[in-house]
Amino acid sequence: MRIKYTIPVVFLVALVIIEKESNIISRVSDKMASKQTPQTPVQPGVSSSAVRRQNASVASLGKLSSAVTLMNRCLDNHSDYQATASGRKHILLLATTRTGSSFVGEFFNQQGDNMFYLFEPLWHVEKMLTLETGGTNATAAAKAYREVLRQLFLCDFSLLESFIDPLPVDHITASLFRRESSSSLCREAVCSPFVKGVFERYHCRSRRCGPLNLTLASESCLRKEHRAIKSVRVRQLETLRPLVEDRRLDVKFIQLVRDPRAVLASRMVAFAAKYKNWKQWATDGDVPIDDDEVKKLKGNCDTIRMSAKVGLKRPAWLRGRYMLVRYEDIARFPMRKAGEMYKFTGIPFTPQVKAWILKNTRASKETSGVYSTKKNSSEQVEKWRFTLPFKIAQVVQEVCGPTLTLFGYKSVTSKEMLMDKSISLIEDKVFDFL
Ligand SMILES: *[C@@H]1O[C@H](CO)[C@@H](O)[C@H](O)[C@H]1NC(C)=O
Ligand SMILES: *[C@@H]1O[C@H](CO)[C@@H](O)[C@H](O)[C@H]1NC(C)=O
Ligand SMILES: *[C@@H]1O[C@H](CO)[C@@H](O)[C@H](O)[C@H]1NC(C)=O
Ligand SMILES: *[C@@H]1O[C@H](CO)[C@@H](O)[C@H](O)[C@H]1NC(C)=O
Ligand SMILES: *[C@@H]1O[C@H](CO)[C@@H](O)[C@H](O)[C@H]1NC(C)=O
């Protein structure tokens, strides 16, 4: 009899603690907000209210994670509340830009009625935390990303809301980034009546909806069996460890990687303005190896390799929770790789997903835009070999050497080898995930 009551009581205590903590959070935020005077020096390009909210959001994060830690400790003794018991999975697709993550994200977006899928929700967090230098404070950003992900996996949008600019009113926003890329946010249940005169840039395409009601989104999310989020913003897998330790979650990480030479070639097209130095070097045939841009490339490669190394070492905390996939393998064998990914997550590989893959890996060239997910994938995967100059490929090989080796991408030694399609640059490599 006693144990029957203990569990609800412990749960209630935990809730009360969290409630109290969030009161503190809002008081802290209010205080921080009211402290500001209109004379606050404003960073160029960032509104003062954005800076204020950035500060308040960051301040509230610390409180939030301590509340979560406390609750975890309380729940530790009661495995009944562990997510594993419910079979609910929380999938995080981790990638970097131009690695085919939109395409791979569709594998989960198309799963059907059992899945709540979110496309790049952390875009808002990164935008809000971007400093005048153009970068972010990596420590602060990592923490914010993690806590927003934690809440979203629990169908709570409140922390994300604090990063949306303009701030949602009554949980309604017309500004959610790429809403239409999450089919979960455009379903009937999340579609409020269309409002004339309200502009929503990323409005639903599948049906005519009013601005997004995040309360509806949250309710819909709670009804779904599984949840998946795609993000190109998390830099270090290790920063997400607290999510694995959160008893309410059963997290599965899928890290998607792609040949850095192909990624660079793709970025030079997609982000032409940002990559104009590279374009210049490509034309000149000369790359200043100690340039900041080259150092940034090296930094990116190192970051990806370090996360993968953590995962591939299979530490106890990640056992059964980490899978590495190469975009090239998905492009060449989409059905097989999707099947493996679903097997890893423990979620049924539905006929809808299979149909989507069939349809979208055989599409012809005409449909492909810059952000298109429709492509003849096995053809696309080698295209960079004819657009990236050999000189640039060499530079990537030089600064990303260990990354190429770890993922099994072969270096080229001549222009002829680069452009000879009969020579595969992808070594067969199996990355165990169990
Ligand atoms: C943000 O916080 C920092 C220190 O935490 C402070 O120096 C700065 O003035 C704050 N800015 C605003 C606009 O609140
Ligand atoms: C969990 O159980 C252990 C042993 O039964 C006990 O010592 C510990 O205090 C409990 N922790 C909590 C938070 O209830
Ligand atoms: C980054 O943020 C953390 C905490 O949020 C702070 O302790 C640290 O000083 C910041 N670093 C820089 C370089 O601003
Ligand atoms: C948003 O959805 C909630 C839950 O159904 C509802 O109570 C609320 O009135 C909706 N808000 C608006 C502005 O329609
Ligand atoms: C896709 O591209 C590959 C390689 O170029 C080619 O063999 C295949 O026939 C193409 N498929 C379609 C449907 O265009």
Side-chain angles (χ1 to χ4, degrees), residues 36 40 51 55:
Q36 305 304 317
T40 308
V51 173
N55 268 1

Side-chain angles (χ1 to χ4, degrees), residues 169-172 189 192-193 212-217 219:
V169 177
D170 293 334
H171 313 290
I172 309 283
S192 31
L212 179 61
N213 181 337
L214 289 163
T215 309
L216 284 180
E219 287 168 0

Side-chain angles (χ1 to χ4, degrees), residues 10 73-78:
V10 167
R73 245 182 277 142
C74 295
L75 291 182
D76 254 353
N77 285 355
H78 303 283

Side-chain angles (χ1 to χ4, degrees), residues 281-329:
W281 299 331
T283 322
D284 299 350
D286 202 24
V287 184
I289 198 83
D290 55 357
D291 190 276
D292 278 352
E293 292 286 323
V294 181
K295 284 187 192 139
K296 215 160 80 191
L297 172 70
K298 179 172 165 32
N300 287 341
C301 279
D302 289 345
T303 304
I304 295 165
R305 191 181 74 253
M306 256 125 71
S307 274
K309 275 192 134 161
V310 168
L312 294 173
K313 250 195 300 182
R314 296 201 281 160
W317 67 275
L318 265 180
R319 193 139 309 145
R321 300 197 180 280
Y322 175 83
M323 180 184 190
L324 180 80
V325 282
R326 297 187 300 187
Y327 176 64
E328 292 79 4
D329 293 326

